[in-house]
Amino acid sequence: MEKRTIKKIDHYVYDTIEEFKEHHPNLVVHPDWRIADQGDWVYSDDDRIIQLIKVSKSVQHHSDRKNYKFAKGWVRTVVGSFINRPNVIMDTDFDKHPNRYTFSTKIKNTSDLVKKRKKITNKEKEFATNIVVGMGAVKAYKNAYKEISDQKARKKATVLLKQERVMNEIEKSVLDVAKGLGIDHEYILNKLKHLADYSEDDNIVLQSAKELGKIVGTSGNLVKQKETGLLGVFQGFSQDQLEGAKKQPQINGEINEVS
């Protein structure tokens, strides 16, 4: 018999039916883990007895891989997680499963996998889209990954927002939206130039000049240019400042008003 503790609850793996009956005389063991329900005790494929802690009838995996799409679901035991397919062996060897919360037998820390991944996943794309449409990071993660816990969602979202592939997807989505609205770099440069040239507010003039300097590379802060883009060009202005900028006609066919 082996024991592991999860969230202060002891979970056991029994070697024989006799050993199991000593501790659970009134319970039965289901012969086939693939059709058993959550909470059932079942025979593993290496002939031991273990409880199904979690059972799902479908697989929602970030990679949407073929093996997952055609699976009948998945189960989790105290040892590990297993896809419900005829060719999958559900064993009870703890040494083969460094992380019980992933199907892989090689991944110990799933956060490391997120950081090492180069190609963006479908779930990460959905998360990025949620960010672009205005959801907060926590809500965006909960919606994309069907997470219930705010604490876990906040932690996971923070990790995702540090990944270059995710930020690139967010920027791409923002650019697509901006393009659809007729907003491009020329449009923004004209707006900033108008603010710098015609505003009666010295703070707006100064901030506009600084933003223009960042964009054209004369401010000495080239590193920040990559982080700014269309998404952050106006981040130095308050709404009142933007709305209070004086609307004056421009010469040479420039934009007539600030909007």
Side-chain angles (χ1 to χ4, degrees), residues 86-100:
N87 62 336
V88 172
I89 301 299
M90 187 185 78
D91 65 86
T92 56
D93 188 344
F94 286 97
D95 292 337
K96 291 182 179 179
H97 303 275
N99 187 334
R100 69 170 60 93

Side-chain angles (χ1 to χ4, degrees), residues 175-193:
L175 291 173
D176 289 342
V177 172
K179 184 177 180 181
L181 295 173
I183 300 173
D184 55 18
H185 286 89
E186 182 178 359
Y187 173 90
I188 289 178
L189 284 169
N190 280 330
K191 289 292 187 181
L192 287 172
K193 183 177 183 300

Side-chain angles (χ1 to χ4, degrees), residues 125-141:
K125 286 182 179 180
E126 185 177 348
F127 170 76
T129 300
N130 290 343
I131 292 291
V132 172
V133 300
M135 289 187 190
V138 174
K139 186 176 180 181
Y141 187 90

Side-chain angles (χ1 to χ4, degrees), residues 236-250:
F237 301 93
S238 69
Q239 188 64 32
D240 291 340
Q241 286 177 319
L242 290 174
E243 293 178 354
K246 185 176 181 181
K247 300 178 181 179
Q248 295 188 11
Q250 297 186 0

Side-chain angles (χ1 to χ4, degrees), residues 9-48:
I9 298 177
D10 293 335
H11 296 269
Y12 296 87
V13 181
Y14 297 100
D15 295 318
T16 65
I17 187 63
E18 290 77 17
E19 187 177 63
F20 173 78
K21 286 296 184 180
E22 288 179 11
H23 296 83
H24 308 283
N26 298 320
L27 297 180
V28 297
V29 180
H30 201 292
D32 189 347
W33 63 269
R34 291 175 179 83
I35 59 175
D37 294 322
Q38 186 167 307
D40 285 350
W41 288 90
V42 300
Y43 281 102
S44 64
D45 290 320
D46 53 3
D47 295 324
R48 300 177 81 193

